[in-house]
Amino acid sequence: MPRDLRLSRMLHVLIHLDRHVERATSDQIAGMISTNPVVVRRMMAGLRKKEILISEKGHGGGWQLARPLNAISLRDVYQAIGSPPLFNIGSGADPTDCLVEKAVDARLDLAMQEAERKLLKQFSEISVEDLAHDFEQRFAALQGDADEASANAAFKHFRTDG
Amino acid sequence: MPRDLRLSRMLHVLIHLDRHVERATSDQIAGMISTNPVVVRRMMAGLRKKEILISEKGHGGGWQLARPLNAISLRDVYQAIGSPPLFNIGSGADPTDCLVEKAVDARLDLAMQEAERKLLKQFSEISVEDLAHDFEQRFAALQGDADEASANAAFKHFRTDG
DNA sequence: AGACATGAAACTTTCATTGTTGCGTGATCG
DNA sequence: CGATCACGCAACAATGAAAGTTTCATGTCT
């Protein structure tokens, strides 16, 4: 449904890079999120610049975390991918002479900016480690079940790696 | 910047329909928001269904308010245009087996849903009449100035009507 | 009857993300 | 050294939703 999946995808990858593999190639990561390696490199380039990830070329190369997950907030990741627009709705960007339009847009922008501020504050208070904990709780719950097939599905990304 | 301008545009039009004209054709309204009459009808059809607007065909026809502005909240208008997605970012819609992805998306969706809830609550507490007051304050401030040219610009939409 | 105005369907345009291909560069292995 | 692996980057195509456009039908007033 949403147009920009980068934040969700990046968080997904970061947790795998901490919990399940030490280093992964763009190809392997592309497999995790069902896309291709170029999209992965493009998405992760911003995190390299912000020193959240390290990439190495050549044999045995790939992507690796530069810091522990508890030192990476959702806001860090959001900013690293370029702070894309949060909202789909809003007012036009072109200036206008109409005072009605100005008044409407000013009030609307105010409400949106406040919503954005609050959401980004939440993002800054959630670390990727928190999400990893969420995952592990779900995983533990599945292991408690007799449903081993579902438990195995949690490692889907790594069964096909070889 | 944003992709969906319908809410902003509709609010703009509603205020003009209350303050500056009693009834306007799709052509005149298209002139107000710099678009064409078909876009206007498409956008306003939802407000007719919700009985915020009335449209009449034929000679002297056009669009007219069905209720006073203080009985129309921003949320009413938002819902009348079809409750389009508020956010540009989010998680994928397709179900997955990966527990990491599930955990990430669940937490992300939670934060987004809370942000949406708060924003819609704000929208429900702001009436279009409030925005009209904002406009009138701006207009009064301009009239206090000696800058009559700017004051006239507030009526740009209606100088060209004839 | 003629002009005006909405209603609705079908099509094109626009724009950002996503997806894809190709080539260059650096690093490791044999 | 040469081959292979893997990232870096540039350029282009595909996708999807809103916006824009064209066309015709329907209803209404003079």
Side-chain angles (χ1 to χ4, degrees):
Chain A
M1 190 96 80
R3 313 244 173 66
D4 194 325
L5 304 171
R6 285 174 287 182
L7 178 59
S8 164
R9 282 176 158 179
M10 271 310 316
L11 296 172
H12 180 183
V13 170
L14 290 176
I15 294 174
H16 279 311
L17 283 178
D18 185 72
R19 293 296 205 271
H20 302 138
V21 289
E22 191 174 357
R23 186 181 288 184
T25 67
S26 301
D27 262 296
Q28 293 172 320
I29 295 171
M32 296 179 193
I33 58 180
S34 302
T35 179
N36 71 75
V38 180
V39 173
V40 170
R41 292 192 193 106
R42 190 152 65 207
M43 176 177 72
M44 296 175 85
L47 281 84
R48 187 184 51 233
K49 284 172 196 155
K50 290 288 179 76
E51 300 185 333
I52 295 171
L53 288 172
I54 294 170
S55 66
E56 285 180 48
K57 295 182 178 179
H59 262 292
W63 297 87
Q64 200 174 346
L65 286 169
R67 326 178 204 157
L69 294 191
N70 60 26
I72 309 171
S73 72
L74 300 209
R75 182 166 188 169
D76 291 333
V77 178
Y78 168 73
Q79 291 176 331
I81 60 175
S83 302
L86 283 179
F87 294 103
N88 188 43
I89 71 169
S91 54
D94 41 297
T96 177
D97 283 338
C98 176
L99 271 189
V100 174
E101 194 172 343
K102 282 184 182 176
V104 167
D105 288 354
R107 187 90 168 226
L108 212 50
D109 289 347
L110 193 68
M112 309 279 290
Q113 280 164 20
E114 185 177 339
E116 175 161 339
R117 210 170 36 74
K118 286 179 182 172
L119 186 56
L120 290 183
K121 182 168 186 298
Q122 276 216 10
F123 281 177
S124 72
E125 291 167 350
I126 303 174
S127 73
V128 187
E129 178 70 25
D130 294 332
L131 303 193
H133 283 315
D134 285 356
F135 152 69
E136 276 158 354
Q137 281 197 343
R138 285 166 183 257
F139 186 62
L142 271 190
Q143 283 186 321
D145 287 358
D147 187 357
E148 297 200 8
S150 297
N152 283 336
F155 292 103
K156 189 186 62 165
H157 302 325
F158 305 102
R159 282 188 310 193
T160 53
D161 284 351
Chain B
M1 188 101 79
R3 310 241 175 67
D4 194 325
L5 304 172
R6 284 174 289 181
L7 178 59
S8 164
R9 282 177 158 178
M10 271 310 316
L11 296 172
H12 180 183
V13 170
L14 289 176
I15 294 173
H16 279 310
L17 282 178
D18 185 71
R19 293 295 204 270
H20 302 139
V21 289
E22 191 174 359
R23 185 181 288 184
T25 67
S26 302
D27 262 297
Q28 294 172 319
I29 295 171
M32 296 179 193
I33 58 179
S34 302
T35 179
N36 70 77
V38 179
V39 173
V40 170
R41 291 191 196 106
R42 190 190 292 155
M43 175 176 72
M44 295 175 84
L47 281 82
R48 185 184 52 233
K49 285 172 196 155
K50 290 287 179 75
E51 299 185 336
I52 296 171
L53 289 172
I54 294 169
S55 67
E56 285 180 48
K57 295 181 178 180
H59 263 294
W63 297 86
Q64 199 173 347
L65 286 168
R67 328 177 201 156
L69 293 191
N70 60 26
I72 309 171
S73 72
L74 300 209
R75 181 166 188 168
D76 292 334
V77 178
Y78 167 74
Q79 290 176 332
I81 60 176
S83 302
L86 284 179
F87 294 103
N88 188 43
I89 71 169
S91 54
D94 41 297
T96 176
D97 284 337
C98 177
L99 271 189
V100 174
E101 194 173 343
K102 282 185 182 174
V104 166
D105 288 355
R107 188 90 168 229
L108 211 50
D109 289 347
L110 193 68
M112 309 279 290
Q113 281 166 19
E114 186 176 339
E116 175 161 339
R117 210 170 36 74
K118 287 179 183 171
L119 185 56
L120 289 182
K121 182 170 187 295
Q122 276 217 10
F123 281 177
S124 72
E125 291 167 351
I126 303 175
S127 75
V128 187
E129 178 70 25
D130 293 332
L131 302 194
H133 283 316
D134 285 356
F135 153 68
E136 276 159 354
Q137 280 197 342
R138 286 167 183 257
F139 186 64
L142 271 191
Q143 282 186 320
D145 287 358
D147 186 355
E148 299 201 7
S150 296
N152 282 338
F155 292 102
K156 188 186 62 164
H157 301 325
F158 306 101
R159 282 188 309 195
T160 54
D161 284 350

